[in-house]
Amino acid sequence: MDAFARFTNQTQGRDRLFRAIQYTCMLLRYLLEPKADREKVVMKLKKLESSVSTGRKWFRLGNVVHAVQATKQSVHVSELVPRFCLTIANLNRVIYFVCDTILWVRSVGLISDINKEKWRKLAARHYYYSLLLNIIRDVYEISLQMEHVAQEKAKREKSMPQNHLGPCVADEETEWLQSFLLLLFRSLRKHPPLLLDTVKNLCDILNPLDQLDIYKSNSGVIGLGGLLSSIIGMITVAYPQMKLRT
């Protein structure tokens, strides 16, 4: 199982490359569809997108094993909130990849009597749960980083001369918002892996939100989100230090 997991890790880069191509096709198709003289190009992009999506299934067959191993590792995370979020998220990913494999079996014709829509909805639901829990974990980590930055700022301000002229009441709300956004910016700037992971999860969740009719998006938004997520995925494969650690 360890050797198989290492093999799937090596194929992750290729999977993300094909994923970027798939969502690039989706985005270009959305941009070209309104133009009447681009019908042939749109059809070619649609076929390429479908072919790449089918081809990616081969890279993802081992993801069930990888997700199971990730679940085992997340159980040993020291902090309660990340441990809970990561463990449940990875369990949902296991179910998602099982559903995805069943859909692949149907698509290649090995088993025909499979309710495609039922399994697609089930896969989308568990993918959504997994991403939602990962986003909750990201928010938790961001709050810790913001608390740390705020404490450092408070220490610096204690050593500086105090200005007793406070802001007027009308500006307090605006100043609070500006301070919050500045604190958020500084926290994420000091922790690039957390920023990348948060952006990636927010981009990824657009697809299941649309499939489950929770929040409808057009193919352009989903294509752009998928492309950004794929680029981040390739960055974390090429530079493992940019991947958020458990």
Side-chain angles (χ1 to χ4, degrees):
M1 182 175 286
D2 290 338
F4 193 63
R6 284 194 297 270
F7 173 76
T8 59
N9 277 333
Q10 293 172 1
T11 61
Q12 281 182 358
R14 281 170 286 181
D15 175 58
R16 283 167 172 77
L17 176 60
F18 276 88
R19 188 175 187 266
I21 295 172
Q22 176 187 344
Y23 282 107
T24 300
C25 290
M26 182 184 292
L27 178 59
L28 291 175
R29 183 164 54 85
Y30 171 79
L31 295 174
L32 295 175
E33 272 178 350
K35 300 181 180 181
D37 58 339
R38 292 289 186 269
E39 292 181 358
K40 290 184 179 180
V41 178
V42 170
M43 288 301 298
K44 288 180 180 179
L45 286 171
K46 191 172 183 179
K47 289 180 180 179
L48 178 59
E49 179 188 335
S50 178
S51 299
V52 172
S53 177
T54 303
R56 284 184 59 219
K57 304 293 184 181
W58 290 100
F59 295 115
R60 296 164 63 185
L61 289 177
N63 281 344
V64 175
V65 176
H66 193 268
V68 169
Q69 286 208 331
T71 305
K72 291 179 180 179
Q73 292 173 0
S74 60
V75 172
H76 302 291
V77 174
S78 57
E79 294 186 60
L80 177 61
V81 174
R83 181 169 68 243
F84 173 81
C85 290
L86 289 172
T87 302
I88 304 302
N90 286 323
L91 285 173
N92 276 280
R93 283 181 68 82
V94 171
I95 300 173
Y96 162 69
F97 285 128
V98 169
C99 296
D100 191 60
T101 302
I102 291 172
L103 288 169
W104 174 80
V105 168
R106 183 192 184 280
S107 68
V108 297
L110 294 177
I111 302 177
S112 57
D113 56 339
I114 292 177
N115 189 329
K116 183 178 179 181
E117 191 60 28
K118 172 187 173 183
W119 285 99
R120 181 178 290 173
K121 286 285 186 182
L122 187 62
R125 185 174 297 110
H126 286 285
Y127 187 39
Y128 168 71
Y129 292 154
S130 174
L131 290 170
L132 186 61
L133 285 161
N134 276 300
I135 290 172
I136 292 172
R137 184 263 182 126
D138 287 333
V139 171
Y140 173 78
E141 296 289 351
I142 290 172
S143 68
L144 292 181
Q145 290 296 321
M146 290 177 69
E147 182 181 355
H148 179 67
V149 172
Q151 288 174 352
E152 289 182 343
K153 181 183 176 183
K155 289 179 181 179
R156 288 196 304 268
E157 288 178 347
K158 282 183 180 180
S159 61
M160 296 172 63
Q162 297 295 316
N163 182 7
H164 298 288
L165 295 176
C168 64
V169 177
D171 294 335
E172 283 184 356
E173 185 174 344
T174 303
E175 184 175 337
W176 178 88
L177 179 60
Q178 290 175 345
S179 298
F180 175 81
L181 293 176
L182 182 59
L183 186 62
L184 177 62
F185 170 75
R186 287 175 176 172
S187 302
L188 292 175
R189 186 180 62 180
K190 293 182 68 174
H191 204 324
L194 180 56
L195 172 62
L196 291 178
D197 193 73
T198 304
V199 173
K200 181 180 183 301
N201 287 326
L202 290 174
C203 289
D204 282 338
I205 206 169
L206 293 172
N207 199 0
L209 283 175
D210 181 74
Q211 289 181 335
L212 297 171
D213 297 323
I214 297 173
Y215 182 81
K216 299 299 291 182
S217 300
N218 57 52
S219 58
V221 173
I222 295 173
L224 180 59
L227 177 58
L228 289 174
S229 170
S230 301
I231 292 171
I232 292 173
M234 287 188 286
I235 291 172
T236 57
V237 170
Y239 304 96
Q241 68 272 21
M242 298 301 291
K243 184 177 179 63
L244 186 63
R245 301 299 178 185
T246 56

